[in-house]
Amino acid sequence: MSNELEKQAEELEQTLQKQLDLLKRDSEDWLKVGGAVLAGGLLAYAIVKATRKKKNKKTQRALEVLEREGLLDKDLEEKLTKPKKSSFWPSMSQRLLILGLALAKEKYFKDLFTKEKADGKEEEGTF
């Protein structure tokens, strides 16, 4: 009886080790994707910050010129200094969505169709 328990314990340990190895391999893929997304986000944030600073300097110069010329009033100053809503983040989320779909298609759909052919169930799917 103890022999069976030892064998069963050994099999469970091997199964657990295989599952951990599989989890490590899968998590490496997710870490790479997450790192790429994080790096892209930081790069995009830095670009937005850099362009915003340039725009603020140009706006300040324009305000100084208008003030010297006597053409600056409260309405015009408010229009020039009022922050505008950025359309960057919605476009960024759309790009990330497309990137995610492309990765999912590459990783999962390829396996889906190869498994069907390997099983001998060649069915035509309509998309």
Side-chain angles (χ1 to χ4, degrees):
M1 175 111 177
S2 66
N3 241 357
E4 287 180 23
L5 288 176
E6 287 177 10
K7 280 185 178 181
Q8 194 175 20
E10 188 176 320
E11 287 175 6
L12 287 174
E13 286 178 13
Q14 289 175 355
T15 305
L16 179 63
Q17 188 62 37
K18 287 179 183 178
Q19 289 176 347
L20 287 174
D21 291 340
L22 182 64
L23 179 66
K24 286 179 184 177
R25 279 186 287 167
D26 287 345
S27 65
E28 286 176 4
D29 292 339
W30 285 108
L31 281 175
K32 289 177 185 176
V33 170
V37 168
L38 181 64
L42 290 174
L43 180 65
Y45 180 74
I47 290 171
V48 167
K49 281 294 228 185
T51 57
R52 187 172 290 160
K53 285 181 183 179
K54 288 180 183 178
K55 185 177 180 181
N56 287 341
K57 287 180 183 178
K58 289 180 181 179
T59 304
Q60 287 300 323
R61 287 182 190 153
L63 286 173
E64 290 172 4
V65 169
L66 288 172
E67 190 174 354
R68 271 189 277 148
E69 298 294 326
L71 300 173
L72 185 64
D73 59 353
K74 292 288 181 186
D75 292 333
L76 184 59
E77 184 178 0
E78 185 178 328
K79 285 181 184 179
L80 290 174
T81 58
K82 181 179 171 184
K84 294 173 180 68
K85 292 187 177 181
S86 176
S87 63
F88 175 75
W89 291 114
S91 67
M92 186 65 172
S93 64
Q94 290 171 355
R95 289 178 184 158
L96 289 175
L97 176 66
I98 291 171
L99 176 68
L101 289 173
L103 287 173
K105 177 184 168 190
E106 182 180 314
K107 186 169 185 169
Y108 296 113
F109 284 154
K110 183 172 46 171
D111 293 339
L112 179 72
F113 293 125
T114 56
K115 285 180 184 175
E116 285 180 3
K117 289 180 182 178
D119 292 340
K121 299 177 185 176
E122 294 187 39
E123 296 178 9
E124 290 186 27
T126 56
F127 291 102

